Amino acid sequence: MSNRATRARAIAAAGLALAAAMNVAPATASLDRLHKQAVEDGRLCMTDHHHFISSGAWPSRDMAMATATRRWESFTRTEYGHPWGSLAKAADVTWKCSARDSRRGPQVSCELAARPCR
């Protein structure tokens, strides 16, 4: 590969990284301000906004709950930033799990709802 091609690829990669940073950082930093917030038990919580996540079907309740937790935390961090993405800090956490039989054997799905807090 020529020096010119290597340099062009490096410039393109740097441009993509800069564009990604410019598009993600401002939106992530500001989206939490779209919702009313109040201090509850020493945490800053969104007062009027829940996130709802489903686990999909898993062989056990523990696996379904762990998947729903990871999905809730990942989605919340993506939308509002890392400080908001802890289910342990969230308020009004509710779970609804159900089991059913399928061709793959017993399956459990869980739905999770919680208000983000930091």
Side-chain angles (χ1 to χ4, degrees):
M1 185 179 314
S2 71
N3 284 340
R4 187 175 190 173
T6 301
R7 188 169 138 189
R9 285 187 179 172
I11 291 170
L16 287 173
L18 179 61
M22 290 175 66
N23 287 333
V24 174
T28 300
S30 64
L31 287 179
D32 63 330
R33 303 284 182 228
L34 295 176
H35 304 288
K36 292 180 184 177
Q37 300 171 16
V39 176
E40 299 177 20
D41 299 323
R43 308 166 296 183
L44 182 63
C45 298
M46 296 184 184
T47 61
D48 62 349
H49 184 68
H50 287 75
H51 277 181
F52 300 88
I53 296 292
S54 178
S55 67
W58 291 89
S60 73
R61 181 182 174 98
D62 287 346
M63 292 173 80
M65 290 179 77
T67 299
T69 298
R70 280 191 306 274
R71 288 179 179 175
W72 188 95
E73 290 180 338
S74 176
F75 179 78
T76 304
R77 277 193 304 270
T78 299
E79 192 167 12
Y80 303 121
H82 197 271
W84 294 97
S86 170
L87 187 61
K89 293 179 183 177
D92 297 334
V93 177
T94 58
W95 290 95
K96 181 181 176 186
C97 296
S98 58
R100 67 178 179 85
D101 289 324
S102 74
R103 292 182 302 208
R104 296 179 289 170
Q107 299 289 299
V108 179
S109 296
C110 292
E111 295 176 0
L112 164 61
R115 285 188 297 119
C117 298
R118 56 185 256 170

